[in-house]
Amino acid sequence: MFEELHRIDWSSMEHAYGTAEEVPALLWALRSPQAEERREALERFYGAVHHQGDVYPCTAASLPFLFELASDTATPDRADLVALLVSIGRESLERGFEDDGTEIEYCPPPGYVQALAFLREHGETFAEFARDGDPDVRLAAIGGLGLFLDDADRAATVLRERIAAEHGIEARLRTVEAAATLALRVPAASHQVTHWLADLAADPAQDPATRLAALVQRARCAPDEIGEDVVPAAVGLLRATGRALPVRPIAPAPIRPEPPTDAVAPQIAARFAELDRHTRVYAPTTVLLRTFHEALSPRVRERTEVLAEQLWSPDPGSRLDAVRMSGELMQTWRGDHTRLLLRVADRLTPADEEVAAEAATVLETCHPIAAPAREALAAYLGDQHAAHGPDVWAAPQMQLRWSHQQAVRALARLGDTRAVPSLLAALDSDVDAWRAVEVAGHLPQAADELVPRLAAHLHRIDLSRQWTEMSANAILAALAALGDPAAVPAVVDALDAAVRHEQHEVTQAALKALAAFGPAAVEALDTIRSLTTATDAHVRPAAVAALWAAGEDLIETMPLLLNLLDDLHISDAAELLVAIGPPASAALPRLRNLLAHDYEWVRVPCAAALWEIGGESEAPAVLDVLMQAMAENPATANHVVACLDRMGPLAAPALPLLRAQLALPRRGGRFQSIDHDEELQRISRTVINRLESPAPSAPASRTT
């Protein structure tokens, strides 16, 4: 087959980074006797020819050669090649076809169609791979049995054969998964496969992990048919699986070289490290249990039961993965998560530092609802200080340091001053100080101690260097949140330096901080005024907002605001007009016209400004815009309900929309984040309760 390699016009095709001319060399390198050359070629193939799962025409054209390599027993690393084939096919099926197997309507790139057609033509080869003498090849091939074999009877026979022949837990779990994939992909196989899975789940002769897999994959095939007995059965099998499988320590993360400190901001390096951690799977049953949670979807109570069992697994890797899944549930679905929060908090134990660090991370991420875990976090920090002293934030043991810092950040986000000593230690030692800066703004009670230290850090930042803007912006945001006017001189100095070095992002952040200080920032008025005509698209509206906040001079501010309403910064101008209110009546004609704008992120802030300035007479038009925007784009909901809250009884027509919003099981609002959703729910309930209250109240109106 390889003699055909150079007869293909690879230069006419492209991969993720340009021409596909390098593909022949990559394919040749995959059969190299040198392990490093093979590794580099495989990484490049995944990175360019199968980039993030993409399947290009050159990917499809590579398949015959990959098959030849995988079929040749003399080829090293055959299992890696079989896994690559399965990945290409899986991505082709998921991205290029509907659930019923038809091509997606918008005509997928031809690579997907070509690749899947070729792999299905060679489906029987995967049955051969699944019987290979190399157990790694067999393991890699199992997924292909469900993806590429179109003969339902043949595929079911091979899968039954594999269950009988394979004794490794991973191979058995993958075989059961492949069976469910087959049932979902080939309707003719559905009946016999689902019955087989039901029998397998009930068979006491099978090991508990296989029975659990069969139960879960049966639920995956028909999530609407999950009965009340399924979750209790799954919990029992999960408990039995935990007893049956060997307990292993958590495998250490691969050692990667630290990036040079002058080449990348520490925040960016940390985000990549976090992404690397979150792509790791620590237990053999994790993928299976994720499938179960996906099948259960909005059933928060049942999923909490499963997670509670996972969190008490004797295996630390299973506990770690369970903590992470708990966070994903709480961040994605609404409900009373108190029980789950407390179970996660139970994982804060010094004997289990890596799991504890993940638990603290989840509690920090879920801080809007994490109050029930407050005392557990404080107790954990107290134990660490007692055992390791006051400098544990900078402990040389990386796992101890990480778990402590995460717990401090979680407690700080709850506004608990028991986090302050560690934050001060971080700022004084300058060890991972940026991590303390990110949460310092949640502790205004400690502003007298935090502000001088934050200001000192801000003074030390050299804005003439690369990678400093993220640190400066974070400190400026923290100072603004703390609200202590003592920070104004440091912010003014940072603003001057940012302007001097043309650091527009820092300039904008400094202006926003000065706006937060209001009239206390009057000393910076000359600099602020000079920036109201800046050429940078983000600096100009920030300067106008700071000008109003510091001087409250309507005569000076209004012309600038009206210019912004005619510019690309309508939303920024409208938000400031909300703060000014009735005195900004000169903006009313323009705001009324902007209610017809074709972008809801312009219409909504303009409607809010129109209400604040024009009051009751503008209510019908404002309500119409708000309700339509929220119905069409739920991401606007936070802005909409904030305005409805200010409208008082006049918001009554929005009651059905608000009730419908609260009835949704999945989190909503801006970015569907837990922060925005909790705020959305809180304000929506407040508005509903007020409007439904029988007590009379005076209409909330604005008059010019």
Side-chain angles (χ1 to χ4, degrees):
M1 185 70 212
F2 263 66
E3 64 269 15
E4 303 291 327
L5 191 59
H6 294 289
R7 297 182 183 178
I8 296 174
D9 185 6
W10 298 99
S11 64
S12 68
M13 295 181 275
E14 293 187 347
H15 57 42
Y17 300 106
T19 177
E21 289 175 291
E22 68 173 313
V23 172
L26 294 177
L27 293 169
W28 277 108
L30 289 172
R31 67 192 305 174
S32 169
Q34 303 299 320
E36 183 63 16
E37 185 177 357
R38 296 194 305 273
R39 183 190 65 78
E40 290 179 358
L42 187 65
E43 287 185 358
R44 179 62 180 173
F45 198 100
Y46 271 107
V49 188
H50 189 36
H51 175 70
Q52 296 182 353
D54 286 338
V55 178
Y56 309 93
C58 67
T59 321
S62 303
L63 292 175
F65 307 102
L66 292 173
F67 259 104
E68 180 177 346
L69 289 172
S71 300
D72 185 353
T73 56
T75 301
D77 305 329
R78 292 171 59 227
D80 290 337
L81 300 176
V82 175
L84 175 59
L85 289 167
V86 171
S87 176
I88 292 170
R90 179 179 291 110
E91 295 295 337
S92 296
L93 184 62
E94 290 180 357
R95 301 190 189 196
F97 293 81
E98 302 285 5
D99 292 339
D100 61 2
T102 59
E103 290 183 32
I104 51 180
E105 291 182 1
Y106 64 82
C107 297
Y112 294 112
V113 178
Q114 295 167 4
L116 193 58
F118 182 89
L119 289 164
R120 284 178 170 171
E121 288 174 8
H122 293 76
E124 186 59 34
T125 307
F126 286 92
E128 296 171 11
F129 286 150
R131 297 193 190 93
D132 197 271
D134 184 338
D136 291 333
V137 171
R138 295 201 304 272
L139 183 64
I142 289 171
L145 301 177
L147 291 167
F148 312 129
L149 275 172
D150 288 330
D151 184 329
D153 292 334
R154 171 69 176 144
T157 298
V158 175
L159 289 166
R160 289 174 183 270
E161 174 189 294
R162 297 327 309 154
I163 277 289
E166 296 289 352
H167 299 290
I169 178 64
E170 192 170 358
R172 293 174 71 81
L173 295 185
R174 287 198 191 183
T175 302
V176 177
E177 179 187 7
T181 300
L182 174 69
L184 290 167
R185 185 177 64 85
V186 182
S190 178
H191 183 74
Q192 66 167 310
V193 167
T194 52
H195 274 72
W196 177 52
L197 292 176
D199 291 343
L200 205 59
D203 185 357
Q206 299 291 336
D207 63 274
T210 301
R211 294 179 62 193
L212 177 63
L215 184 75
V216 167
Q217 297 296 346
R218 173 69 179 81
R220 173 191 167 204
C221 290
D224 293 339
E225 299 175 11
I226 297 175
E228 294 183 0
D229 59 331
V230 171
V231 168
V235 169
L237 289 169
L238 183 57
R239 187 174 301 143
T241 299
R243 292 193 298 263
L245 293 180
V247 174
R248 302 186 183 93
I250 295 173
I255 298 175
R256 305 185 190 279
E258 291 288 333
T261 55
D262 59 347
V264 63
Q267 298 93 326
I268 294 176
R271 297 299 179 262
F272 275 106
E274 181 181 348
L275 180 63
D276 186 54
R277 282 193 303 275
H278 278 259
T279 56
R280 296 181 67 204
V281 174
Y282 296 88
T285 56
T286 294
V287 173
L288 172 68
L289 291 168
R290 283 191 180 281
T291 299
F292 195 34
H293 285 290
E294 288 171 6
L296 291 170
S297 266
R299 305 184 188 193
V300 170
R301 182 183 60 79
E302 290 92 334
R303 292 179 66 180
T304 298
E305 290 180 27
V306 176
L307 285 166
E309 186 62 37
Q310 291 178 245
L311 288 165
W312 284 103
S313 170
D315 177 61
S318 297
R319 294 196 296 271
L320 195 153
D321 286 336
V323 168
R324 187 171 298 156
M325 281 189 258
S326 298
E328 292 164 1
L329 171 64
M330 292 187 284
Q331 291 171 59
T332 306
W333 299 96
R334 294 170 171 174
D336 183 357
H337 296 298
T338 303
R339 179 188 175 200
L340 191 54
L341 284 163
L342 293 174
R343 287 297 183 100
V344 169
D346 286 340
R347 297 296 93 210
L348 293 167
T349 60
D352 211 356
E353 294 287 5
E354 192 160 358
V355 177
E358 193 66 38
T361 301
V362 165
L363 294 173
E364 180 193 357
T365 305
C366 297
H367 69 89
I369 61 171
R374 181 192 300 269
E375 294 307 316
L377 283 164
Y380 179 62
L381 293 181
D383 290 343
Q384 287 186 318
H385 280 128
H388 304 285
D391 299 325
V392 63
W393 176 278
Q397 305 96 322
M398 290 305 298
Q399 195 55 62
L400 172 62
R401 180 196 295 191
W402 176 248
S403 64
H404 179 78
Q405 291 181 2
Q406 291 301 94
V408 169
R409 285 165 59 93
L411 196 61
R413 287 197 189 276
L414 292 173
D416 196 305
T417 55
R418 286 173 287 188
V420 171
S422 288
L423 295 183
L424 299 180
L427 295 171
D428 289 340
S429 68
D430 206 17
V431 174
D432 296 333
W434 66 271
R435 306 194 78 243
V437 169
E438 288 187 339
V439 298
H442 292 267
L443 292 160
Q445 318 95 302
D448 58 333
E449 294 180 281
L450 291 168
V451 166
R453 291 170 168 86
L454 291 168
H457 275 267
L458 188 59
H459 277 301
R460 290 198 293 270
I461 293 177
D462 183 357
L463 290 175
S464 68
R465 299 177 58 194
Q466 282 188 315
W467 312 114
T468 55
E469 66 273 9
M470 290 184 70
S471 296
N473 291 348
I475 295 173
L476 289 164
L479 290 172
L482 291 171
D484 187 344
V488 170
V491 176
V492 172
D493 288 345
L495 176 61
D496 291 338
V499 172
R500 188 166 61 253
H501 295 293
E502 297 184 349
Q503 290 271 21
H504 299 309
E505 287 188 19
V506 181
T507 301
Q508 180 189 12
L511 288 166
K512 287 184 175 180
L514 291 173
F517 294 119
V522 67
E523 67 183 81
L525 268 176
D526 288 343
T527 303
I528 293 171
R529 190 173 287 115
S530 70
L531 293 170
T532 58
T533 57
T535 56
D536 183 79
H538 301 289
V539 168
R540 193 161 61 255
V544 174
L547 182 68
W548 167 256
E552 295 188 353
D553 186 338
L554 193 63
I555 295 175
E556 182 178 19
T557 305
M558 275 307 297
L560 298 169
L561 271 173
L562 293 174
N563 286 337
L564 289 177
L565 283 176
D566 290 321
D567 201 351
L568 299 175
H569 310 287
I570 300 171
S571 299
D572 296 305
E575 288 174 8
L576 181 52
L577 288 167
V578 167
I580 296 174
S585 58
L588 284 172
R590 177 67 175 141
L591 290 171
R592 292 185 186 113
N593 290 336
L594 286 168
L595 294 189
H597 198 280
D598 58 1
Y599 189 35
E600 63 273 10
W601 286 110
V602 169
R603 296 197 304 273
V604 168
C606 286
L610 192 59
W611 162 257
E612 291 299 327
I613 299 169
E616 186 171 348
S617 63
E618 307 290 346
V622 168
L623 270 176
D624 184 58
V625 167
L626 295 179
M627 293 169 63
Q628 183 179 22
M630 185 167 163
E632 292 177 356
N633 183 357
T636 64
N638 289 89
H639 294 76
V640 170
V641 299
C643 186
L644 293 175
D645 186 28
R646 297 192 296 270
M647 292 181 74
L650 293 175
L655 267 173
L657 189 64
L658 293 173
R659 293 192 191 101
Q661 170 59 234
L662 288 181
L664 297 174
R666 187 182 285 271
R667 293 202 179 274
R670 193 84 187 269
F671 307 121
Q672 295 184 306
S673 71
I674 188 170
D675 307 61
H676 289 121
D677 182 67
E678 286 295 316
E679 178 189 58
L680 173 61
Q681 292 186 72
R682 178 182 59 77
I683 298 177
S684 295
R685 290 192 182 98
T686 298
V687 174
I688 290 172
N689 290 338
R690 182 191 304 131
L691 293 175
E692 291 181 339
S693 172
S697 58
S701 64
R702 296 267 188 194
T703 58
T704 57

Short mmCIF file of all heavy atoms in Angstrom, two decimals, residues 142-168:
data_model
loop_
_atom_site.label_atom_id
_atom_site.label_comp_id
_atom_site.label_asym_id
_atom_site.label_seq_id
_atom_site.Cartn_x
_atom_site.Cartn_y
_atom_site.Cartn_z
N ILE A 142 -11.65 -2.20 20.71
CA ILE A 142 -13.01 -2.52 21.17
C ILE A 142 -14.02 -1.44 20.77
O ILE A 142 -15.13 -1.74 20.32
CB ILE A 142 -13.02 -2.75 22.69
CG1 ILE A 142 -12.31 -4.08 23.01
CG2 ILE A 142 -14.45 -2.76 23.24
CD1 ILE A 142 -12.06 -4.31 24.49
N GLY A 143 -13.64 -0.16 20.90
CA GLY A 143 -14.57 0.90 20.54
C GLY A 143 -15.02 0.82 19.10
O GLY A 143 -16.16 1.17 18.77
N GLY A 144 -14.15 0.34 18.21
CA GLY A 144 -14.50 0.22 16.80
C GLY A 144 -15.60 -0.78 16.54
O GLY A 144 -16.31 -0.68 15.52
N LEU A 145 -15.79 -1.76 17.44
CA LEU A 145 -16.84 -2.75 17.24
C LEU A 145 -18.22 -2.10 17.28
O LEU A 145 -19.13 -2.50 16.54
CB LEU A 145 -16.74 -3.84 18.31
CG LEU A 145 -15.42 -4.62 18.36
CD1 LEU A 145 -15.43 -5.60 19.52
CD2 LEU A 145 -15.16 -5.34 17.05
N GLY A 146 -18.39 -1.11 18.13
CA GLY A 146 -19.67 -0.44 18.21
C GLY A 146 -19.82 0.66 17.17
O GLY A 146 -20.94 0.99 16.77
N LEU A 147 -18.70 1.19 16.70
CA LEU A 147 -18.74 2.33 15.79
C LEU A 147 -18.82 1.95 14.32
O LEU A 147 -19.43 2.67 13.52
CB LEU A 147 -17.50 3.21 16.00
CG LEU A 147 -17.41 3.97 17.33
CD1 LEU A 147 -16.01 4.53 17.51
CD2 LEU A 147 -18.43 5.10 17.36
N PHE A 148 -18.20 0.82 13.94
CA PHE A 148 -18.00 0.57 12.51
C PHE A 148 -18.62 -0.71 11.97
O PHE A 148 -18.78 -0.84 10.76
CB PHE A 148 -16.50 0.57 12.20
CG PHE A 148 -15.75 1.74 12.77
CD1 PHE A 148 -14.60 1.57 13.51
CD2 PHE A 148 -16.22 3.03 12.57
CE1 PHE A 148 -13.93 2.64 14.04
CE2 PHE A 148 -15.55 4.12 13.11
CZ PHE A 148 -14.40 3.93 13.85
N LEU A 149 -18.96 -1.64 12.83
CA LEU A 149 -19.59 -2.88 12.34
C LEU A 149 -21.07 -2.60 12.12
O LEU A 149 -21.80 -2.28 13.05
CB LEU A 149 -19.41 -4.01 13.35
CG LEU A 149 -18.09 -4.80 13.27
CD1 LEU A 149 -17.97 -5.75 14.44
CD2 LEU A 149 -17.98 -5.55 11.96
N ASP A 150 -21.53 -2.74 10.90
CA ASP A 150 -22.93 -2.45 10.58
C ASP A 150 -23.83 -3.67 10.64
O ASP A 150 -25.05 -3.55 10.71
CB ASP A 150 -23.03 -1.83 9.18
CG ASP A 150 -22.50 -0.40 9.16
OD1 ASP A 150 -22.59 0.28 10.20
OD2 ASP A 150 -21.97 0.02 8.12
N ASP A 151 -23.25 -4.85 10.63
CA ASP A 151 -24.02 -6.08 10.76
C ASP A 151 -24.33 -6.28 12.24
O ASP A 151 -23.45 -6.63 13.03
CB ASP A 151 -23.22 -7.26 10.20
CG ASP A 151 -24.00 -8.57 10.21
OD1 ASP A 151 -24.85 -8.75 11.12
OD2 ASP A 151 -23.75 -9.43 9.34
N ALA A 152 -25.57 -6.02 12.63
CA ALA A 152 -25.93 -6.03 14.04
C ALA A 152 -25.65 -7.37 14.69
O ALA A 152 -25.10 -7.44 15.80
CB ALA A 152 -27.41 -5.66 14.20
N ASP A 153 -26.03 -8.46 14.05
CA ASP A 153 -25.82 -9.78 14.64
C ASP A 153 -24.35 -10.09 14.78
O ASP A 153 -23.90 -10.63 15.80
CB ASP A 153 -26.50 -10.85 13.77
CG ASP A 153 -28.01 -10.75 13.81
OD1 ASP A 153 -28.54 -10.24 14.82
OD2 ASP A 153 -28.66 -11.15 12.82
N ARG A 154 -23.59 -9.75 13.73
CA ARG A 154 -22.14 -10.00 13.78
C ARG A 154 -21.50 -9.20 14.91
O ARG A 154 -20.69 -9.73 15.67
CB ARG A 154 -21.53 -9.60 12.43
CG ARG A 154 -20.01 -9.60 12.38
CD ARG A 154 -19.46 -11.00 12.49
NE ARG A 154 -18.02 -11.00 12.37
CZ ARG A 154 -17.22 -11.81 13.03
NH1 ARG A 154 -17.74 -12.71 13.89
NH2 ARG A 154 -15.91 -11.77 12.85
N ALA A 155 -21.85 -7.93 15.02
CA ALA A 155 -21.27 -7.08 16.05
C ALA A 155 -21.63 -7.59 17.45
O ALA A 155 -20.77 -7.67 18.34
CB ALA A 155 -21.75 -5.65 15.88
N ALA A 156 -22.90 -7.97 17.65
CA ALA A 156 -23.32 -8.46 18.96
C ALA A 156 -22.59 -9.75 19.33
O ALA A 156 -22.20 -9.96 20.48
CB ALA A 156 -24.83 -8.68 18.97
N THR A 157 -22.38 -10.60 18.34
CA THR A 157 -21.67 -11.86 18.58
C THR A 157 -20.24 -11.59 19.03
O THR A 157 -19.74 -12.20 19.99
CB THR A 157 -21.67 -12.72 17.31
OG1 THR A 157 -23.02 -13.03 16.97
CG2 THR A 157 -20.88 -14.00 17.51
N VAL A 158 -19.56 -10.69 18.33
CA VAL A 158 -18.17 -10.38 18.68
C VAL A 158 -18.10 -9.76 20.08
O VAL A 158 -17.20 -10.08 20.87
CB VAL A 158 -17.55 -9.43 17.63
CG1 VAL A 158 -16.14 -9.02 18.06
CG2 VAL A 158 -17.52 -10.10 16.27
N LEU A 159 -19.05 -8.90 20.42
CA LEU A 159 -19.03 -8.27 21.73
C LEU A 159 -19.26 -9.29 22.85
O LEU A 159 -18.60 -9.25 23.89
CB LEU A 159 -20.10 -7.17 21.78
CG LEU A 159 -19.78 -5.92 20.94
CD1 LEU A 159 -21.01 -5.05 20.77
CD2 LEU A 159 -18.66 -5.11 21.61
N ARG A 160 -20.18 -10.21 22.64
CA ARG A 160 -20.39 -11.27 23.64
C ARG A 160 -19.13 -12.11 23.79
O ARG A 160 -18.75 -12.50 24.90
CB ARG A 160 -21.56 -12.15 23.22
CG ARG A 160 -22.93 -11.50 23.33
CD ARG A 160 -24.01 -12.42 22.75
NE ARG A 160 -25.32 -11.83 22.77
CZ ARG A 160 -26.19 -11.94 23.77
NH1 ARG A 160 -25.86 -12.64 24.84
NH2 ARG A 160 -27.38 -11.38 23.70
N GLU A 161 -18.49 -12.34 22.69
CA GLU A 161 -17.25 -13.12 22.71
C GLU A 161 -16.17 -12.40 23.52
O GLU A 161 -15.44 -13.02 24.28
CB GLU A 161 -16.78 -13.31 21.26
CG GLU A 161 -15.44 -13.98 21.08
CD GLU A 161 -14.99 -13.92 19.63
OE1 GLU A 161 -15.65 -14.55 18.77
OE2 GLU A 161 -14.02 -13.19 19.35
N ARG A 162 -16.09 -11.09 23.36
CA ARG A 162 -15.07 -10.33 24.08
C ARG A 162 -15.35 -10.31 25.58
O ARG A 162 -14.42 -10.40 26.39
CB ARG A 162 -14.99 -8.88 23.58
CG ARG A 162 -14.57 -8.65 22.14
CD ARG A 162 -13.58 -9.64 21.58
NE ARG A 162 -12.40 -9.83 22.41
CZ ARG A 162 -11.67 -10.94 22.42
NH1 ARG A 162 -12.00 -11.99 21.68
NH2 ARG A 162 -10.62 -11.05 23.20
N ILE A 163 -16.62 -10.20 25.97
CA ILE A 163 -16.94 -10.22 27.40
C ILE A 163 -16.52 -11.55 28.02
O ILE A 163 -16.00 -11.61 29.14
CB ILE A 163 -18.45 -9.98 27.63
CG1 ILE A 163 -18.75 -8.48 27.61
CG2 ILE A 163 -18.93 -10.56 28.94
CD1 ILE A 163 -18.24 -7.72 28.83
N ALA A 164 -16.72 -12.62 27.29
CA ALA A 164 -16.34 -13.93 27.81
C ALA A 164 -14.83 -14.11 27.87
O ALA A 164 -14.30 -14.81 28.75
CB ALA A 164 -16.97 -15.03 26.94
N ALA A 165 -14.11 -13.47 26.93
CA ALA A 165 -12.67 -13.71 26.81
C ALA A 165 -11.83 -12.74 27.63
O ALA A 165 -10.73 -13.09 28.07
CB ALA A 165 -12.25 -13.64 25.34
N GLU A 166 -12.31 -11.51 27.80
CA GLU A 166 -11.51 -10.49 28.46
C GLU A 166 -11.75 -10.51 29.98
O GLU A 166 -12.88 -10.62 30.44
CB GLU A 166 -11.86 -9.09 27.92
CG GLU A 166 -11.53 -8.89 26.45
CD GLU A 166 -10.04 -8.81 26.18
OE1 GLU A 166 -9.25 -8.76 27.15
OE2 GLU A 166 -9.66 -8.78 25.00
N HIS A 167 -10.65 -10.38 30.73
CA HIS A 167 -10.76 -10.38 32.18
C HIS A 167 -10.33 -9.05 32.80
O HIS A 167 -10.60 -8.80 33.97
CB HIS A 167 -9.93 -11.53 32.78
CG HIS A 167 -10.39 -12.88 32.30
ND1 HIS A 167 -11.58 -13.45 32.69
CD2 HIS A 167 -9.82 -13.74 31.41
CE1 HIS A 167 -11.73 -14.63 32.09
NE2 HIS A 167 -10.67 -14.83 31.31
N GLY A 168 -9.66 -8.21 32.02
CA GLY A 168 -9.26 -6.91 32.54
C GLY A 168 -10.45 -5.98 32.65
O GLY A 168 -11.32 -5.95 31.78
#
